[in-house]
Amino acid sequence: MELGTRSIRSSGAGSGSIELTLPAALRELQGLPCRITLRDGPRPEIVLQPELRGALAAFEKLGALLRGALGLAPEDPGLSERIASLHPTPSASGAARLAWTDGLALAGPPPQPRDALARSLRALAEPAGVAAGLGEAWAPGFAAALAWLLTGLVPDAMEQQGCDIAAAALLAAGLRPAPPVLSGDAFSAAGWGAAAPLLGTLLALHRGWTAEPARHAALALGWRRGLAAQLRVG
């Protein structure tokens, strides 16, 4: 990733102390220890490798809490396959990926930023949904609805319909979804305990739609008709 050219400043020829002003895009790395490597040769390069183990630990803990709430056995989350970049990047539906800066935000003290939590849950819940028996076509919608239920945020505007349908289905099942369920600490055992029944019902709904897609199609048709009516009234 090319971030432009910066100058190196020194506090004195004998001190060994230098300063490099990094681009604003790297401001989340402020205060992180970095490993510095000089790649010598015809085109020397200085490589800064930030210490990101705290972010990785946050992702691992969040993934374990998620799988536990869904009644899934703990297993290697395969995070190396889910982390795409330093910053969140737009992704096609069904291809949500984790970002290191979101992990750094989650590793901080509560309350953690809800947008970082929503994106991370969306990325972690998709493979969890597949492991729970959802078809590949249904896991992304389940993941988006789960992220919305826990944070109150829809990770991607294109997934608003699926979240609305899931909310209506939960209400019809006798539950009253009131996001955000995780309103403070993203790693609160009490918060995840309260979320487990809702997530279990959400998973059961998506399993049913996987088995009988026509049920979901009918709900989607009702949602579109309701939206059209709202637009006419508005």
Side-chain angles (χ1 to χ4, degrees), residues 68-85:
L70 293 174
L72 299 175
E75 65 176 31
D76 182 359
L79 289 179
S80 60
E81 301 174 5
R82 308 299 300 178
I83 300 176
S85 59

Side-chain angles (χ1 to χ4, degrees), residues 14 55 180 198:
L198 281 170

Side-chain angles (χ1 to χ4, degrees), residues 90-97 122 126 136-141 144 156 158-159:
S91 60
S93 179
R97 293 291 183 266
R122 169 67 178 81
E126 186 178 329
E136 293 282 352
W138 297 97
D156 188 312
M158 297 296 292
E159 296 172 320

Side-chain angles (χ1 to χ4, degrees), residues 49-182:
Q49 183 178 0
E51 173 54 75
L52 296 169
R53 280 180 293 185
L56 185 61
F59 286 143
E60 291 174 342
K61 186 175 182 180
L62 191 65
L65 288 168
L66 174 61
R67 293 185 68 88
L70 293 174
L72 299 175
E75 65 176 31
D76 182 359
L79 289 179
S80 60
E81 301 174 5
R82 308 299 300 178
I83 300 176
S85 59
L86 180 62
H87 296 96
T89 56
S91 60
S93 179
R97 293 291 183 266
L98 297 164
W100 284 116
T101 52
D102 284 344
L104 291 173
L106 295 177
Q112 294 85 1
R114 284 196 298 153
D115 56 345
L117 179 58
R119 287 189 295 265
S120 300
L121 286 170
R122 169 67 178 81
L124 291 168
E126 186 178 329
V130 173
L134 301 184
E136 293 282 352
W138 297 97
F142 164 74
L146 180 145
W148 163 78
L149 189 62
L150 294 181
T151 68
L153 299 178
V154 178
D156 188 312
M158 297 296 292
E159 296 172 320
Q160 182 68 59
Q161 173 182 339
C163 293
D164 289 346
I165 291 172
L170 287 171
L171 191 60
L175 298 174
R176 293 188 174 273
V181 177
L182 297 179

Side-chain angles (χ1 to χ4, degrees), residues 176-195:
R176 293 188 174 273
V181 177
L182 297 179
S183 57
D185 186 353
F187 304 103
S188 165
W192 279 97

